[in-house]
Amino acid sequence: MTIRDLNSLPEAIKRTFDPNFVFLITSDKIQHFPARQWSTADYQQMLQEKLGASYDFFVWQEILVAQGTNDLLILMPHYHQTDAFTETPHQPS
């Protein structure tokens, strides 16, 4: 999965990206699960479970995305910058 794949997602899917959820995207499916009131440690644990110890971050349309060595992209709309796990996450107004 790449940024180009994210860009080609239908607009109806892009509108569903809500800060209270985490989205798992592979080439053949999109899944989401609630992340309400998650701490930074909760996000880090999920990343470790899904991607292992080695992953990178990039920002796509103001959404933090994690990418490991597999085909999985993890979108975390709650965060908006690549250093999100060293700073306070975005708080919706």
Side-chain angles (χ1 to χ4, degrees), residues 1-17 23-31 58 60-61 63 65 71 73-77:
M1 292 295 298
T2 66
I3 290 176
R4 184 176 17 184
D5 297 317
L6 291 175
N7 288 336
S8 68
L9 290 172
E11 287 301 316
I13 299 244
K14 291 177 186 177
R15 285 192 298 271
T16 67
F17 296 148
F23 296 83
L24 309 177
I25 301 179
T26 62
S27 58
D28 62 342
K29 72 175 126 171
I30 299 171
Q31 298 175 295
F58 64 90
W60 172 77
Q61 295 189 2
I63 297 173
V65 181
D71 188 38
L73 294 179
I74 300 178
L75 278 69
M76 298 170 283

Side-chain angles (χ1 to χ4, degrees), residues 21-50:
F21 292 87
V22 169
F23 296 83
L24 309 177
I25 301 179
T26 62
S27 58
D28 62 342
K29 72 175 126 171
I30 299 171
Q31 298 175 295
H32 71 282
F33 57 90
R36 289 178 191 91
Q37 300 175 348
W38 273 24
S39 68
T40 300
D42 293 328
Y43 278 94
Q44 289 171 326
Q45 179 180 346
M46 178 272 305
L47 291 170
Q48 177 78 27
E49 290 172 5
K50 302 292 185 188

